[in-house]
Amino acid sequence: MLGAHVITDPEVAAPHATDWTGRFTGDPPAVLRPGNVDEVAAVVDIARHHHVALVAQGGNTGLVGGATPVDGEVVVDLRRLDAITDVDPIGGQLTAGAGASIAAVQAAAGAAGWAYGVDLAARDTATVGGSVATDAGGLRFVRHGSTRRQLLGVEAVLGNGSVIRHLPLVAKDNTGYDLAALLCGSEGTLGLITAARLLLVATPGPIATALVGFATTTDAVVAASALRRALPGLEAVELMLAAGIELVRQTTGLAAPLAGDAPVVLLVEASAADAPEALLADAVGGLTGVLDAAVAVDGPRRAQLWRYREDHTTAINGLGPPHKFDVTLPAGELAAFIDSVPALVAAEAPAAHTWLFGHAADGNIHVNVTGLPAADERVADLVLSRVAALGGSISAEHGIGRAKRRWLHLAQAPADLAAMRAVKAALDPAGICNPAVLLSLPPPSRPT
Ligand SMILES: Cc1cc2nc3c(=O)[nH]c(=O)nc-3n(C[C@H](O)[C@H](O)[C@H](O)COP(=O)(O)OP(=O)(O)OC[C@H]3O[C@@H](n4cnc5c(N)ncnc54)[C@H](O)[C@@H]3O)c2cc1C
């Protein structure tokens, strides 16, 4: 059926066998590359009848080991389903195949006079299917919300073999259970998404970008809140610490971004119909604890300011596979949490190093710990338990995957978990869809 699109040579399959961080790896018996929804349905049918576990894979940029065939699952690579169709320049919508990259969606939206509300540093590789399956948040969450908010409908092959297709041409559609929302964030455990209908957003006006240095984390966190109120066109507020910026500088050769030595730096971006730089400078002028600021309006300079933030993930990965804890804290707890985490980690693992950066306006901080063996979960226990005790979420935007499945009970009550298992059992009764991820179920029992 799939012919040349069945890969069994381990060397050719290798890019599909290990996750982006290098922490999770497996040995898939095959990688299948279907080219349309009928071929995906045929793959699911065979897997159901032969009790074979499948791992859906898009760009393989996920950061929680959710797309990695650690237990010998068959990988289903959906990137050949990359068509973008039914672009509606009047309604501001389009349909994207699961394999289309986020950058391709952004380009198609731009060509139609709109923009796509989700953006992330992995935009050239991450796919629509992966971003829906993880409910990706990203750099514009403060403005447009996560992928769920852009999602009008999906086409998918469920684990039970049925093909659901609800790709409405209208934005308002209140016709029963929202299956697209259910699949959004399901991490490939309910079925394989083959296409999504996406709502587009207005193209922002002229944009200004600033780096703003602060004396303390509290000043920066309070500033993120003040900026949300002061700037209706606020596009992004990203937080970095001096150590992370220094690491990025060492790996990229970038110059120091600000004149002084600010311990905490916010990247702030705002759009306005007229003179966004004046508006941004004015808002920054009203903040407390600002040590220094640099504002840019021209494209190349703005792109350079973004590199200090966007290159964090790659620079940290260069130190060896990190343990990644992508968490959200209630606004009132965020600054103290950021300040206390390095000592918390050091007390348990003195040789480890903690790196912190994130989406400040969303209360979302990425805690990255390097220098720990891949299987060492002591720090995960500490950090995730602390987050839960403070009323936060153990996954802001990356999902649970394999990395956090042991701690799902910290985020979901027993009745909620039971409801999730019931949904899983209804839509994937044979348990073939990513069984090890999220709910951590046993693999489908193979015939003896
Ligand atoms: C440099 C970098 C920056 C990042 N920044 C962000 C960020 O700002 N915000 C953010 O949210 N994430 C971020 N990520 C994480 C990652 O890019 C996102 O989770 C992205 O949505 C994953 O897309 P993907 O196509 O690579 O999915 P994959 O990694 O291939 O898969 C991720 C999960 O989705 C499932 N899946 C994939 N495709 C399908 C499908 N078609 N149907 C059903 N299930 C599927 C997989 O089984 C797996 O569980 C970043 C990653 C990197 C490397």
Side-chain angles (χ1 to χ4, degrees):
M1 168 193 62
L2 293 174
H5 296 290
V6 176
I7 300 166
T8 50
D9 178 342
E11 250 179 63
V12 185
H16 302 273
T18 301
D19 80 313
W20 191 87
T21 68
R23 185 176 165 208
F24 299 94
T25 192
D27 185 14
V31 176
L32 310 179
R33 304 189 66 234
N36 57 51
V37 63
D38 293 337
E39 290 184 356
V40 176
V43 166
V44 169
D45 221 35
I46 293 169
R48 282 169 58 228
H49 286 103
H50 294 276
H51 304 273
V52 174
L54 303 174
V55 169
Q57 201 175 83
N60 199 15
T61 65
L63 299 174
V64 288
T68 316
V70 173
D71 298 312
E73 297 90 338
V74 168
V75 172
V76 185
D77 173 1
L78 291 136
R79 285 177 303 169
R80 287 180 63 220
L81 283 75
D82 62 355
I84 295 180
T85 59
D86 299 305
V87 179
D88 177 355
I90 298 176
Q93 302 175 10
L94 55 75
T95 298
S101 69
I102 299 302
V105 172
Q106 291 171 343
W114 294 84
Y116 183 49
V118 173
D119 190 24
L120 62 174
R123 62 184 73 80
D124 293 326
T125 316
T127 63
V128 166
S131 64
V132 172
T134 57
D135 186 21
L139 305 164
R140 308 283 166 194
F141 181 96
V142 66
R143 182 89 164 135
H144 303 296
S146 68
T147 301
R148 183 170 276 130
R149 205 194 287 173
Q150 332 301 320
L151 191 60
L152 296 174
V154 291
E155 178 190 75
V157 181
L158 300 178
N160 64 15
S162 59
V163 178
I164 58 166
R165 185 178 290 115
H166 189 68
L167 301 167
L169 302 178
V170 292
K172 288 185 95 170
D173 169 35
N174 203 347
T175 53
Y177 295 150
D178 188 346
L179 297 179
L182 180 62
L183 286 174
C184 189
S186 64
E187 302 189 51
T189 61
L190 300 179
L192 284 78
I193 297 157
T194 50
R197 184 80 183 155
L198 301 170
L199 186 63
L200 307 177
V201 299
T203 310
I207 293 179
T209 308
L211 287 188
V212 188
F214 291 88
T216 69
T217 318
T218 301
D219 286 338
V221 168
V222 170
S225 166
L227 290 165
R228 280 174 59 202
R229 280 167 282 165
L231 293 168
L234 188 64
E235 298 281 334
V237 186
E238 298 291 311
L239 181 142
M240 300 168 272
L241 300 186
I245 291 176
E246 185 52 34
L247 181 69
V248 168
R249 289 188 55 209
Q250 281 167 18
T251 53
T252 59
L254 286 170
L258 297 170
D261 286 330
V264 190
V265 174
L266 289 186
L267 182 152
V268 185
E269 193 156 272
S271 64
D274 191 29
E277 69 280 16
L279 221 62
L280 187 51
D282 201 36
V284 169
L287 300 173
T288 304
V290 173
L291 297 178
D292 197 4
V295 182
V297 273
D298 68 280
R301 177 73 182 130
R302 285 182 43 231
Q304 196 188 20
L305 295 188
W306 267 104
R307 286 199 63 191
Y308 294 102
R309 166 61 183 87
E310 291 207 320
D311 285 6
H312 264 67
T313 317
T314 307
I316 293 166
N317 229 50
L319 301 174
H323 288 243
K324 296 180 96 69
F325 312 115
D326 148 51
V327 300
T328 334
L329 276 300
E333 305 288 353
L334 182 62
F337 176 81
I338 292 172
D339 287 341
S340 66
V341 160
L344 185 74
V345 172
E348 185 67 41
H353 194 98
T354 304
W355 308 91
L356 297 143
F357 62 97
H359 311 298
D362 320 332
N364 178 189
I365 190 81
H366 296 315
V367 182
N368 284 232
V369 180
T370 54
L372 273 183
D376 188 339
E377 294 193 318
R378 286 172 303 156
V379 168
D381 232 356
L382 270 182
V383 173
L384 300 179
S385 301
R386 171 70 67 92
V387 168
L390 293 171
S393 169
I394 64 167
S395 175
E397 56 176 12
H398 294 163
I400 296 295
R402 287 173 180 274
K404 295 186 202 157
R405 58 191 182 177
R406 267 188 56 203
W407 293 277
L408 185 58
H409 67 277
L410 294 177
Q412 299 287 351
D416 300 55
L417 284 172
M420 286 190 200
R421 286 198 194 93
V423 171
K424 167 82 175 168
L427 301 188
D428 179 23
I432 58 166
C433 293
N434 233 352
V437 162
L438 182 61
L439 295 172
S440 192
L441 299 172
S445 49
R446 289 167 191 263
T448 47

